Amino acid sequence: MNFAKEVIVVKYSTYLFDFDGTLVDSMPSFISVMLRILDENNIKYEDDIVKIITPLGYAGTAAYFQKMGVPLSEEKMIKIMNEYIYDEYAYKIQAKTNVISTLKEIKKRGADLNILTASPHSVLDICLKRLEIYDLFNNVWSCDDFSMTKADPIIYIRVAEKIGQPVKNILFLDDNYNADKTAKSAGMSVCGVFDKSSAEYVDDVKNIADYYIYDFAELLDI
């Protein structure tokens, strides 16, 4: 008796994931640290500050904060950011619902998994290793590796070159509107990811993304 093995056809075989707010539930920690620096220096900010700084990384955020009037050097601010946030990533922050099982299933199907995040390796790597998913990824990149932010479309082109795939063949996943919009402008397919921190921008993301998921398990059907 012959049993046909089920063949799962996938549209994408190369994925590029954001980290904070996409794979892990870290945005509350990230936001509290960044706003703490503004509050400690009595700097007023608009409601959209999180939307602006999330794609910039620590260095980009420090530069932006200087323009807002924070009287500290970029180097000093980055040092403070790392000191405030380290324990959160090293011991507390967890993967979002269904992220680990979904990543393992996609990897099992033969997909090429990659990360591009604004977070530095000092917190990124230790968190991925604690969650025991670091080895699922072919490449784990911080924006620091490119000396660019996710607000620059060139970074997505550079990533595609390193992966060895045309930009259009890569599915980029991020919870942040600005990052999704920029990746789309660079030619990537884009999947928006729901996160409570960016809930007010869901419709904005949907308007520019190819897909949108509320639960990571939905990625298996794309």
Side-chain angles (χ1 to χ4, degrees), residues 15-23 54-57 113-121 124-125 128 137-160 162-163 170-176 179-180 182-183 186 188:
Y15 297 81
L16 181 63
F17 298 98
D18 169 50
F19 179 61
D20 296 288
T22 297
L23 298 181
T54 298
L56 300 182
L113 310 183
N114 307 274
I115 287 178
L116 175 65
T117 176
S119 288
H121 283 289
L124 168 64
D125 295 359
L128 288 171
F137 298 95
N138 298 68
N139 298 284
V140 175
W141 288 301
S142 166
C143 290
D144 296 341
D145 298 325
F146 297 88
S147 298
M148 285 183 275
T149 74
K150 289 198 290 183
D152 186 341
I154 299 299
I155 197 170
Y156 303 95
I157 296 171
R158 295 286 181 268
V159 164
K162 286 184 175 292
I163 292 173
I170 299 172
L171 181 62
F172 175 71
L173 296 96
D174 203 308
D175 61 297
N176 181 266
D180 285 332
T182 307
M188 284 188 176

Side-chain angles (χ1 to χ4, degrees), residues 55-212:
L56 300 182
Y58 289 24
T61 298
Y64 190 80
F65 281 1
Q66 267 200 333
K67 293 177 182 178
M68 291 179 67
V70 176
L72 300 172
S73 68
E74 291 181 28
E75 292 76 14
K76 178 64 174 178
M77 272 191 275
I78 292 170
K79 182 180 179 181
I80 292 172
M81 291 171 186
N82 280 305
E83 289 175 351
Y84 285 173
I85 205 75
Y86 181 83
D87 283 353
E88 295 290 316
Y89 284 92
Y91 304 110
K92 301 176 183 178
I93 289 169
Q94 297 297 317
K96 294 176 71 173
T97 303
N98 292 321
V99 162
I100 294 178
S101 59
T102 300
L103 290 174
K104 287 181 176 178
E105 176 58 30
I106 295 173
K107 188 71 173 181
K108 183 180 176 182
R109 295 178 183 182
D112 182 338
L113 310 183
N114 307 274
I115 287 178
L116 175 65
T117 176
S119 288
H121 283 289
S122 58
V123 295
L124 168 64
D125 295 359
I126 195 169
C127 187
L128 288 171
K129 290 175 181 177
R130 174 173 56 81
L131 296 174
E132 299 182 346
I133 57 175
Y134 184 90
D135 291 337
L136 292 176
F137 298 95
N138 298 68
N139 298 284
V140 175
W141 288 301
S142 166
C143 290
D144 296 341
D145 298 325
F146 297 88
S147 298
M148 285 183 275
T149 74
K150 289 198 290 183
D152 186 341
I154 299 299
I155 197 170
Y156 303 95
I157 296 171
R158 295 286 181 268
V159 164
E161 290 172 350
K162 286 184 175 292
I163 292 173
Q165 288 285 345
V167 176
K168 65 180 182 180
N169 289 359
I170 299 172
L171 181 62
F172 175 71
L173 296 96
D174 203 308
D175 61 297
N176 181 266
Y177 169 76
N178 287 334
D180 285 332
K181 183 179 180 181
T182 307
K184 185 68 178 176
S185 73
M188 284 188 176
S189 296
V190 170
C191 179
V193 180
F194 178 79
D195 190 73
K196 290 180 181 179
S197 68
S198 55
E200 62 186 296
Y201 304 113
V202 168
D203 289 339
D204 293 333
V205 175
K206 285 182 176 180
N207 285 336
I208 57 96
D210 300 282
Y211 312 96
Y212 194 90

Side-chain angles (χ1 to χ4, degrees), residues 12-79:
Y12 297 95
S13 60
T14 305
Y15 297 81
L16 181 63
F17 298 98
D18 169 50
F19 179 61
D20 296 288
T22 297
L23 298 181
V24 296
D25 190 19
S26 59
M27 288 308 297
S29 298
F30 174 83
I31 292 168
S32 66
V33 164
M34 299 307 169
L35 298 189
R36 178 179 172 183
I37 293 171
L38 293 178
D39 292 338
E40 288 177 347
N41 289 278
N42 298 311
I43 302 297
K44 302 297 183 182
Y45 47 86
E46 301 296 330
D47 292 340
D48 64 347
I49 185 66
V50 174
K51 180 181 179 181
I52 293 171
I53 66 174
T54 298
L56 300 182
Y58 289 24
T61 298
Y64 190 80
F65 281 1
Q66 267 200 333
K67 293 177 182 178
M68 291 179 67
V70 176
L72 300 172
S73 68
E74 291 181 28
E75 292 76 14
K76 178 64 174 178
M77 272 191 275
I78 292 170
K79 182 180 179 181

